[in-house]
Amino acid sequence: MRLTVIGTGYLGATHAACMAELGHEVLGVDVDPDKVAALQAGRVPFHEPGLPELIAEHTASGRLRFTTDYAEAGAFADVHFVCVGTPQLGGSEGADLTYVDSAFAAIAEHAAPDALVVGKSTVPVGTAGRLADTHACVEVAWNPEFLREGFAVEDTLRPDRLVFGVRSERAETILRKVYASVLTAGTPLVTADFPTAELVKTAANAFLATKISFINAMAEVCEAAGGDVGVLAEAIGYDDRIGPKFLRAGVGFGGGCLPKDIRAFAHRADELGVSLDFLREVDAINMRRRDKVVELAREQCGGSVLGARIAVLGAAFKPDSDDIRDSPALNVAARLRLDGADVTVYDPEAMDNARKAFPLLGYALSAEEALGGADLVLHLTEWPQFREIDPERARSLVSRPRIVDGRGVLDADRWTAAGWRFRALGRTAPVGEGLR
Ligand SMILES: NC(=O)c1ccc[n+]([C@@H]2O[C@H](COP(=O)([O-])OP(=O)(O)OC[C@H]3O[C@@H](n4cnc5c(N)ncnc54)[C@H](O)[C@@H]3O)[C@@H](O)[C@H]2O)c1
């Protein structure tokens, strides 16, 4: 089939490449000419494992092309996927639908009559119905996306479920054709009305955020009561009604999705006269964990970070990504810099993005360089290579062997045995206390 994918960021570039991989002819459309030129040349302007190979292969074969021209897109295909951003509105919790609205308006103007325009962006419930009413010349469907950055290719080619929000059998039949090989492989399909399809995505993100903030709230209680949240999480995770996933206490979630999606969901619920105030508490718990890391950093530096050399390991909001949107690591790094610390950041992939967004922070070319002469080390993004750092070797590089593990994955006993003063969130006992 011929498809267009409108908006070629993290979601759209992946969707376009994976649709080509599934055998379709795909035209990616974006308003950013630099992004289009890079993708057309087979280069991916962000880090996503496995994606550069797919983009290079399918642009070289001609099965995947990119353009800024909506007229070309309208003429190219009768099925259009809309993957543009829905960031948080300035000055509000709500979602900014400007990009979705303008993408639908532009494709509706150029598409063939009765073309199917399929929204994939995460939107407040009610958006699909509004767009269908506004653009009656095309048919609208909603097919929310659940991919995880870092696993985006795998999640698109082998999703754990597909959700089709449709108003007609025709729309469902077309979407079944698009995803034929995925469905043949046994992927569960849920077909729903528009509001339910939109809500599946926001409900899933709200649930995940709530689970993370739940364990982080337990971390707060452990800090106050002298417990250990790592042991607590292990013990409750054995209950298969609870499960062990998303139960690691730490500096919390960030990125371009969870924070803005739970805010937009609470905001939309207010408009509908339903209270989802608990999501505001989920958000507040999450933000408090960043405060806690700043507080631990101060404590580790004897009450003030003024003049302290602090190495921050991590800048991306999660490993295997260069996405720094609402990154807890950079939030903490920037606050310590404002408090007078000399902060040096290292991240395996997100250095360019971090430098652009936070030019006043220091940057190192390697973890070892960041550690050099540090008075304190903060481990804030869970890259596997940080877990492999040898505490003995690291100790020989720093000025003072003090570390805060903001992700709860480092081996406290190993670091302590190597002479480090080790602190983690959700544990009161400062392991290695007394060492300097
Ligand atoms: N990133 C993820 O992991 C993920 C996962 C699931 C769902 N989503 C949702 O997908 C949507 C996109 O997220 P993203 O992370 O890919 O955002 P992004 O900012 O990386 O990409 C958005 C792209 O849309 C382009 N764009 C903006 N207006 C346009 C227009 N009128 N026409 C064509 N292109 C236009 C931008 O130039 C940009 O390239 C959001 O609603 C997000 O919540 C994202």
Side-chain angles (χ1 to χ4, degrees):
M1 292 173 80
R2 286 176 149 219
L3 316 171
T4 77
V5 176
I6 298 166
T8 56
Y10 286 93
L11 165 60
T14 307
H15 190 66
C18 290
M19 290 300 106
E21 178 71 7
L22 295 182
H24 301 302
E25 273 185 72
V26 183
L27 183 63
V29 187
D30 204 287
V31 287
D32 178 345
D34 293 337
K35 196 171 273 186
V36 164
L39 288 165
Q40 186 56 48
R43 287 195 316 275
V44 182
F46 53 86
H47 177 77
E48 184 59 52
L51 188 58
E53 294 81 350
L54 283 191
I55 298 264
E57 179 187 341
H58 296 303
T59 48
S61 74
R63 199 191 285 169
L64 174 61
R65 292 190 299 111
F66 293 90
T67 184
T68 55
D69 185 353
Y70 268 97
E72 187 185 350
F76 179 80
D78 292 331
V79 183
H80 308 277
F81 285 95
V82 175
C83 300
V84 299
T86 49
Q88 191 176 337
L89 264 177
S92 158
E93 284 179 315
D96 182 353
L97 294 175
T98 321
Y99 308 102
V100 168
D101 288 349
S102 71
F104 266 81
I107 195 61
E109 186 189 336
H110 293 285
D114 290 333
L116 185 66
V117 183
V118 187
K120 286 192 79 64
S121 304
T122 303
V123 290
V125 60
T127 305
R130 176 177 62 77
L131 289 166
D133 294 344
T134 311
H135 304 292
C137 56
V138 293
E139 176 155 18
V140 170
W142 220 266
N143 167 219
E145 177 58 54
F146 304 97
L147 67 77
R148 298 160 299 166
E149 286 177 28
F151 304 90
V153 169
E154 180 62 20
D155 286 350
T156 308
L157 295 175
R158 278 167 282 279
D160 45 21
R161 80 288 211 189
L162 287 171
V163 176
F164 297 167
V166 287
R167 278 187 171 170
S168 75
E169 263 181 40
R170 173 180 172 267
E172 182 181 336
T173 305
I174 294 171
L175 282 171
R176 280 181 178 275
K177 230 172 124 188
V178 170
Y179 288 107
S181 56
V182 176
L183 291 169
T184 306
T187 304
L189 168 64
V190 178
T191 304
D193 51 34
F194 283 174
T196 310
E198 294 166 314
L199 283 168
V200 170
K201 174 65 188 175
T202 38
N205 275 0
F207 186 85
L208 294 174
T210 302
K211 201 168 177 194
I212 297 169
S213 279
F214 172 81
I215 200 63
N216 281 334
M218 295 306 105
E220 291 183 331
V221 179
C222 284
E223 284 155 10
D228 185 321
V229 75
V231 177
L232 181 147
E234 182 191 348
I236 63 172
Y238 287 125
D239 182 333
D240 62 13
R241 294 168 303 175
I242 296 173
K245 288 186 178 164
F246 272 58
L247 273 192
R248 189 174 294 126
V251 67
F253 57 81
C257 290
L258 287 194
K260 60 109 177 152
D261 286 349
I262 60 168
R263 290 168 198 154
F265 197 14
H267 181 82
R268 182 67 184 130
D270 284 349
E271 290 175 347
L272 294 168
V274 181
S275 169
L276 287 185
D277 267 347
F278 80 95
L279 288 178
R280 297 193 170 95
E281 186 55 26
V282 164
D283 197 6
I285 294 165
N286 191 53
M287 299 310 273
R288 285 205 296 269
R289 292 288 79 190
R290 302 177 187 189
D291 300 342
K292 180 67 184 179
V293 175
V294 171
E295 185 189 314
L296 282 175
R298 271 195 213 114
E299 195 184 296
Q300 289 275 47
C301 293
S304 164
V305 296
L306 191 66
R309 299 191 62 174
I310 299 182
V312 170
L313 298 178
F317 87 94
K318 64 182 283 192
D320 262 326
S321 175
D322 64 354
D323 193 345
I324 58 155
R325 290 178 287 187
D326 202 358
S327 159
L330 287 173
N331 179 299
V332 168
R335 283 159 66 177
L336 293 171
R337 167 77 173 67
L338 286 175
D339 284 351
D342 175 3
V343 179
T344 303
V345 177
Y346 171 70
D347 187 283
E349 292 293 340
M351 298 294 277
D352 289 347
N353 287 342
R355 231 185 241 113
K356 272 182 229 147
F358 293 90
L360 295 182
L361 294 172
Y363 293 94
L365 294 173
S366 66
E368 291 219 339
E369 190 187 322
L371 294 180
D375 298 310
L376 172 66
V377 179
L378 303 180
H379 172 237
L380 299 182
T381 308
E382 201 185 326
W383 283 96
Q385 44 271 65
F386 295 154
R387 233 173 299 161
E388 283 154 22
I389 290 174
D390 174 13
E392 298 275 357
R393 165 87 187 135
R395 188 175 176 180
S396 72
L397 300 170
V398 296
S399 277
R400 293 197 165 100
R402 304 156 166 173
I403 184 163
V404 175
D405 180 10
R407 290 295 174 186
V409 293
L410 300 180
D411 183 340
D413 292 341
R414 225 177 127 219
W415 283 79
T416 310
W420 287 76
R421 183 166 150 192
F422 186 97
R423 293 297 307 264
L425 299 176
R427 295 178 192 170
T428 31
V431 189
E433 187 68 22
L435 293 168
R436 287 288 182 278

